[in-house]
Amino acid sequence: MRLGVLDVGSNTVHLQIMDAHHGSAPLAYQSFKDEIKLAEFLTPDGAISDEGVAKLISTLTRLRNDASGITLDETLAFATSAIREAKNSESVIDQVASQTGLELQVLSGEDEAKFTFLAVRRWVGWSAGDVVMLDIGGGSLEIATGEQENPSLATSVMLGSGRLTRQFLSGDPYSEKSLGRLKEHISDTLDPVKKIIGDNSNRTAIGTSKTLRTLRRIQQNLVPEEGGSLSLDGLAIVVPKLQKMTVSQRAQLPGVSASRAGQIVAGAMVAQAAMKKFEIEKLTQCPWALREGIVLQRLDWLKS
């Protein structure tokens, strides 16, 4: 069957067309996306502004029109951190439904972690054993662990790279003071998770998301001897270098788009802090993440 998977995130609205059948890997057919940075339209009281809602609706309408020539069996539409945490989330969902016909499902942070973990488990297979997963998004960080397809721990904390950049970082390059405040905030936020996540020494550590893929590419360029996995030793070199660069300098790095050059420092600091806090030496990159997890869960449900 051919599915449309519509992901409304903090940074990007992404319509991924996938061919999916139970028992086989979901295959990407075509992709339509736009980076609207919805979280930047939050008002001081935590609501998505009228301008932001209008931008979202016009983007959704355009993406659907772009994909109108493709026959879909079903569209799975969901929203994550930016809409989940907005004070007017119900109003936003209602306006999207009335003006576009799309029924957005708002995922909880725990569900987001669970769906992503399912995709990771199917990708790495059972031989990977006990798995710990990190997924850094624009609004939140998802963490999950477990030996089965349903994680024994799935949680989400508000440590997304876009959110932290807006809240903490200033200057170009970022000031030492703002970097110090961010480092302390990340550590304080991760401390409660460390107490419940347990020992990761015998777990297979997996990373998903564009942020971690970008960091791996930067590490391969700056510290090639670290190999193909994102490592704590590599980040010890990469993070200080990124912190000292201007936005324009970071945008010249391999894999760093102009729009993400401002956020990659915060993302790198979250990755480094999480790996250090959870005693993870290396992260293996998984190309599957939330969208694939949504598809796999849907196929499982249809079979049952």
Side-chain angles (χ1 to χ4, degrees), residues 11 134-138 140-141 159-166 169 174 179 182 186 190 208-216 218 230 235 238-239 242-243 250 260-275 283:
N11 286 324
L134 302 179
D135 186 322
I136 303 172
S140 59
L141 162 67
L159 291 179
S161 56
R163 176 194 303 279
L164 298 180
T165 301
R166 290 189 302 274
L169 297 182
Y174 295 130
L179 289 167
L182 175 54
I186 294 171
L190 290 176
T208 71
S209 79
K210 180 68 176 291
T211 294
L212 291 172
R213 285 198 301 274
T214 301
L215 289 172
R216 186 175 60 126
I218 295 172
L230 184 65
L235 285 174
V238 167
V239 173
L242 291 176
Q243 290 173 333
R250 291 193 295 271
R260 286 188 179 267
Q263 300 183 11
I264 195 61
V265 170
M269 291 175 67
V270 171
Q272 182 183 38
M275 290 176 69
L283 273 179

Side-chain angles (χ1 to χ4, degrees), residues 131-205:
V131 168
V132 55
M133 176 210 81
L134 302 179
D135 186 322
I136 303 172
S140 59
L141 162 67
E142 276 65 55
I143 305 160
T145 64
E147 298 181 69
Q148 307 301 324
E149 290 192 339
N150 291 320
S152 54
L153 166 72
T155 190
S156 177
V157 288
M158 292 163 67
L159 291 179
S161 56
R163 176 194 303 279
L164 298 180
T165 301
R166 290 189 302 274
Q167 290 182 344
F168 288 92
L169 297 182
S170 60
D172 188 25
Y174 295 130
S175 70
E176 289 294 330
K177 183 177 180 180
S178 67
L179 289 167
R181 289 191 300 113
L182 175 54
K183 183 178 181 179
E184 182 178 358
H185 173 76
I186 294 171
S187 181
D188 290 345
T189 304
L190 290 176
D191 277 341
V193 183
K194 181 183 179 180
K195 293 177 181 179
I196 62 173
I197 196 173
D199 181 12
N200 289 311
S201 59
N202 293 317
R203 287 175 173 147
T204 301

Side-chain angles (χ1 to χ4, degrees), residues 114-123 149 293 296-297 300:
K114 286 180 177 179
F115 284 131
T116 305
F117 188 85
L118 173 61
V120 166
R121 169 58 71 191
R122 295 280 177 92
W123 176 264
E149 290 192 339
L296 291 167
Q297 182 66 47
D300 289 349

